[in-house]
Amino acid sequence: MYHLGRVIDHVHLRVSDLERSRRFYRAVCDALHLEEVFQSSADHFIIDEIYVDAADEYVSRIHLAFQARSQDDVNAFHRLALRAGGRSNGAPGLRPYHDRYYAAFVLDPDGNNIEAVCDAPNFRSAESVVVKRA
């Protein structure tokens, strides 16, 4: 049994320095209360639907947005991600996308644009989808 979101099966990031990225994404997970979904192995790590390993030939370039529970969590994401080696790509604040879109952006060690976004208050029908293989 495992949990998945409703649209994405997985995102695969290929990074230049696995240990540097592991530190960065562990800090991101800590800031967003996702410690329990961070799984680490010697040659990769997983954050629910996100699979990260060392690049053999090319490094990924994507925009990845994490859901945050509160504006305080977005602020913590930005602060901790910078401490863990990220570079600011947009300080925490409201964005013009809609009236409650509060976000911050950080470039990870490989230049991927990582975002934390909160549009609270909102209601979730479930925390996650539980998948049981038949």
Side-chain angles (χ1 to χ4, degrees), residues 89-117:
N89 199 30
L94 288 168
R95 300 294 192 265
Y97 312 132
H98 64 71
D99 64 337
R100 295 178 298 185
Y101 200 104
Y102 189 89
F105 300 85
V106 176
L107 298 177
D108 78 0
D110 287 300
N112 292 297
N113 187 29
I114 310 303
E115 175 183 6
V117 60

Side-chain angles (χ1 to χ4, degrees), residues 52-109:
V52 182
D53 67 358
D56 294 330
E57 299 174 16
Y58 66 92
V59 172
S60 304
R61 294 286 188 260
I62 65 165
H63 173 185
L64 178 63
F66 284 91
Q67 299 174 28
R69 296 177 189 171
S70 69
Q71 291 183 1
D72 287 342
D73 289 351
V74 171
N75 297 340
F77 155 81
H78 192 259
R79 184 178 65 256
L80 294 176
L82 294 180
R83 262 193 231 150
R87 291 175 290 141
S88 182
N89 199 30
L94 288 168
R95 300 294 192 265
Y97 312 132
H98 64 71
D99 64 337
R100 295 178 298 185
Y101 200 104
Y102 189 89
F105 300 85
V106 176
L107 298 177
D108 78 0

